[in-house]
Amino acid sequence: MKYWGLALALCTSLCVAGEIEDLDIRCMMDDGESCMALGYKYSDGDEVEQSATKGLEYFEKACKLKEPTGCYFTGYTYQKGLGVVRSFSDAIKYYKEGCFLDSAASCTALGSMYQDGQGVERSSSIANKYFEKACEKDDGIACGELGVAYEEGNSLRQSYQDALRFYEKGCRLHDGSSCLGAGEIYAKGNGVKKSAKKAAEFYAQGCAYKDGSCCISAAELYEHGKGVSRDYSIAKEFYGQACDAGYEQGCNGFAELNKKHH
């Protein structure tokens, strides 16, 4: 039987090698998807020796072949300095190319760089333009950033209604921070009728997306019965999820309720 095992292992190794070789040939023949596949494999060490440098090589080629995701990953690699010298200017260059090719992730990343002044002069107005384009393409993070911009009046007319509109869209697109923003607006009654019940719904949704702050906010509402029926078991569950997400406050809340209402 051990010989069959050795034969199977050899066959698997040869098949993998054949797949990599096939992808490499197709990439050399300017097949962008094959270049992307190789970029992922080398970046993750999937069936090949992990190499951020080789991953970047394939992502760059994919970008040159007008694969928008290739531009995003090239930009990300330069922004984070993964296997290369960190370069914000190169990151911006590739993010711009990706955004031009309708990569929502590239537009969002570009917006964040302008927002933070990474490699460019800080500009909320330019950042918001990129966030708008990304949000239109259903990037939840970008929608959330627009929500913040409208809520705080960052280079946009301050408007809680517009902030809520973008927060709600971001939340629908599974961005936990957007759910938190929408929940806070309802909890405080900023520009809308105050509603702890609606706030709890958004917090619970954000918690389902692994946003620890949402979990804590939901737990506190259930613990104190604000807008929802007081329920220590549900509160404890939310605190537990916050704890699992790495929030010490969630761990403390869980322990305290467990001690009082075990």
Side-chain angles (χ1 to χ4, degrees), residues 174-186:
H174 299 188
D175 177 53
S177 293
S178 293
C179 302
L180 181 66
E184 290 292 286
I185 283 181
Y186 276 110

Side-chain angles (χ1 to χ4, degrees), residues 119-140:
V120 290
E121 185 177 347
R122 181 173 294 177
S123 172
S124 294
S125 59
I126 295 176
N128 290 335
K129 288 178 182 178
Y130 284 116
F131 289 143
E132 284 173 10
K133 182 172 181 178
C135 183
E136 286 173 2
K137 297 186 178 302
D138 292 340
D139 186 289

Side-chain angles (χ1 to χ4, degrees), residues 21 36 40 62 157 171 222:
E21 185 178 358
M36 281 302 303
Y40 289 134
R157 175 183 53 83
C171 187
Y222 277 98

Side-chain angles (χ1 to χ4, degrees), residues 30-37 40 58-74 94 97-99 101-103 106:
D30 292 344
D31 180 77
E33 290 185 3
S34 295
C35 298
M36 281 302 303
Y40 289 134
Y58 287 112
F59 287 142
E60 279 188 296
K61 180 161 187 182
C63 181
K64 290 175 183 176
L65 294 170
K66 306 303 180 185
E67 285 287 337
T69 308
C71 301
Y72 168 74
F73 278 107
T74 301
Y94 284 101
E97 179 66 18
C99 188
L101 293 171
D102 290 336
S103 161
S106 293

Side-chain angles (χ1 to χ4, degrees), residues 92-165:
I92 289 166
K93 169 188 169 184
Y94 284 101
Y95 282 149
K96 282 185 175 179
E97 179 66 18
C99 188
F100 177 76
L101 293 171
D102 290 336
S103 161
S106 293
C107 299
T108 299
L110 200 50
S112 295
M113 293 193 78
Y114 273 98
Q115 186 178 63
D116 298 335
Q118 285 191 329
V120 290
E121 185 177 347
R122 181 173 294 177
S123 172
S124 294
S125 59
I126 295 176
N128 290 335
K129 288 178 182 178
Y130 284 116
F131 289 143
E132 284 173 10
K133 182 172 181 178
C135 183
E136 286 173 2
K137 297 186 178 302
D138 292 340
D139 186 289
I141 295 173
C143 298
E145 291 291 354
L146 282 174
V148 173
Y150 274 108
E151 184 174 8
E152 299 180 352
N154 294 333
S155 297
L156 291 170
R157 175 183 53 83
Q158 197 281 332
S159 168
Y160 289 120
Q161 288 77 20
D162 285 327
L164 181 60
R165 177 164 57 90

